[in-house]
């Protein structure tokens, strides 16, 4: 079966983040996507994460994502992803706006 590509798939996401303390953030995201083929199968993803900022230059993050897809060629029904992220910023940065609390 050959897939026919469409030019106008639709997608969106919903995202929320909550600061539990000065250095810890919890977040969640839901993704919804029409795959770019004529049958318009839907792919969905649900993600959760926790971030810990040691300083404004170093962040640790752990997360989890689950995907579900109606696309028969790519079966994401059992696709779970675990995430470990270390984000290190090297160098100076511009002046931050008044609302940044770091």
């Amino acid at each position: 079966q050959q897939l026919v590509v469409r030019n106008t798939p639709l997608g969106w996401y919903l995202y929320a983040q909550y600061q539990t303390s000065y250095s810890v953030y919890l977040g969640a995201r839901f993704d919804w996507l029409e795959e770019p083929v004529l049958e318009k199968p839907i792919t969905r993803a649900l993600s959760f994460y926790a971030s810990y900022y040691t300083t404004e230059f170093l962040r640790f993050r752990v997360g989890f994502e689950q995907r579900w897809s109606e696309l028969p060629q790519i079966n994401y029904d059992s696709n779970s992803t675990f995430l470990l992220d270390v984000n290190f910023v090297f160098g100076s940065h511009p002046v931050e706006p008044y609302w940044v609390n770091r």
Side-chain angles (χ1 to χ4, degrees):
Q1 178 183 7
Q2 185 176 4
L3 296 178
V4 179
V5 177
R6 296 179 332 137
N7 291 328
T8 58
L10 178 65
W12 57 268
Y13 69 91
L14 182 64
Y15 169 80
Q17 179 172 279
Y18 179 70
Q19 185 176 5
T20 62
S21 68
Y22 184 73
S23 299
V24 177
Y25 291 81
L26 300 177
R29 177 176 165 153
F30 178 77
D31 296 79
W32 186 93
L33 170 69
E34 285 181 348
E35 296 290 346
V37 294
L38 286 179
E39 296 83 20
K40 296 184 182 181
I42 304 300
T43 298
R44 293 171 298 280
L46 184 60
S47 309
F48 300 97
Y49 70 87
S51 299
Y52 177 68
Y53 287 80
T54 59
T55 67
E56 63 182 306
F57 299 105
L58 179 62
R59 177 189 75 197
F60 296 99
R61 178 176 283 175
V62 294
F64 172 77
E65 179 181 89
Q66 178 68 47
R67 286 188 177 264
W68 301 273
S69 181
E70 297 171 356
L71 193 61
Q73 289 80 5
I74 305 172
N75 186 354
Y76 285 117
D77 288 338
S78 62
N79 189 11
S80 300
T81 305
F82 292 93
L83 161 76
L84 175 59
D85 176 32
V86 178
N87 191 329
F88 177 72
V89 177
F90 179 73
S92 62
H93 56 80
V95 177
E96 296 172 332
Y98 70 92
W99 48 265
V100 174
N101 63 359
R102 297 211 179 273

